[in-house]
Amino acid sequence: ESELFGHEKGSFTGATDKQVGKFEQADRGTIFLDEVGDMSAKTQAKVLRAVQSGEISRVGSEHDMHVDVRVIAATNKDLAKEVESGGFREDLYYRLNVFPIRSPSLRERAEDIPLLAEAFMLSFAKENGTKPKPMDAEVMQRLVARKWPGNVRELKNVVERMAILSGDRVTVAAAARSSFSACANM
């Protein structure tokens, strides 16, 4: 709440200075709210007020201020289901759901996995001043077959681990050593 709306000096323990919040910083611009599905009910109410009326107040302040912001929000949760279960405010959901853009999970776009894996391998090699390691076809097949509950972040971490723990090329055996479960279960 303090990060989004700011706070006044002395408004809580540790508030040694006044802090301008993200909404105030974004005045006449755009604010990106990541993981809105994880906001507390209290924060959801304050965000709704900010989106609906443009009014915010810093924690510990008795004065409201007006901000003009465009909000872009993201979440990995199904907010419609969260609304049904009472975990997310319906009114805020409809305020934020003006122009929805759905990004499919990695498991829904398996055809992207080889390109992403190669890009992550190249990026890792560049960052570490090494040569990119080619991946055996069977490793790539297993990468494509995996469901990827951790999505793209998980793929990136697995590729990095395989690059660290393999020799000149990534084989099924090297992938198994990296604890890539699809290869470890051979």
Side-chain angles (χ1 to χ4, degrees), residues 22-40:
K22 301 296 184 192
F23 270 91
E24 193 175 345
Q25 291 174 14
D27 190 25
R28 297 191 196 134
T30 303
I31 185 170
F32 174 66
L33 302 176
D34 198 10
E35 298 303 344
V36 294
D38 295 334
M39 286 190 301
S40 70

Side-chain angles (χ1 to χ4, degrees), residues 95-111:
R95 286 285 181 185
L96 296 177
N97 198 29
V98 174
F99 191 84
I101 299 172
R102 184 178 176 282
S103 178
S105 66
L106 188 56
R107 69 184 145 275
E108 296 175 74
R109 50 192 175 100
E111 67 278 2

Side-chain angles (χ1 to χ4, degrees), residues 8 57-58 60-64:
E8 296 295 334
S57 63
R58 292 186 188 128
S61 175
E62 296 177 11
H63 305 289
D64 292 339

Side-chain angles (χ1 to χ4, degrees), residues 15-83:
T16 56
D17 294 307
K18 177 177 89 172
Q19 178 180 316
V20 174
K22 301 296 184 192
F23 270 91
E24 193 175 345
Q25 291 174 14
D27 190 25
R28 297 191 196 134
T30 303
I31 185 170
F32 174 66
L33 302 176
D34 198 10
E35 298 303 344
V36 294
D38 295 334
M39 286 190 301
S40 70
K42 182 179 177 184
T43 303
Q44 287 180 41
K46 286 190 140 195
V47 168
L48 174 64
R49 180 172 177 245
V51 171
Q52 192 167 296
S53 68
E55 298 293 319
I56 64 165
S57 63
R58 292 186 188 128
V59 175
S61 175
E62 296 177 11
H63 305 289
D64 292 339
M65 64 183 74
H66 184 78
V67 293
D68 179 17
V69 296
R70 175 184 311 130
V71 176
I72 298 174
T75 185
N76 65 354
K77 293 184 177 180
D78 183 338
L79 287 185
K81 286 183 182 175
E82 292 292 318
V83 167

Side-chain angles (χ1 to χ4, degrees), residues 166-185:
S166 63
D168 292 338
R169 74 181 297 105
V170 179
T171 63
V172 171
R177 281 193 306 274
S178 73
S179 74
F180 175 42
S181 62
C183 290
N185 294 329

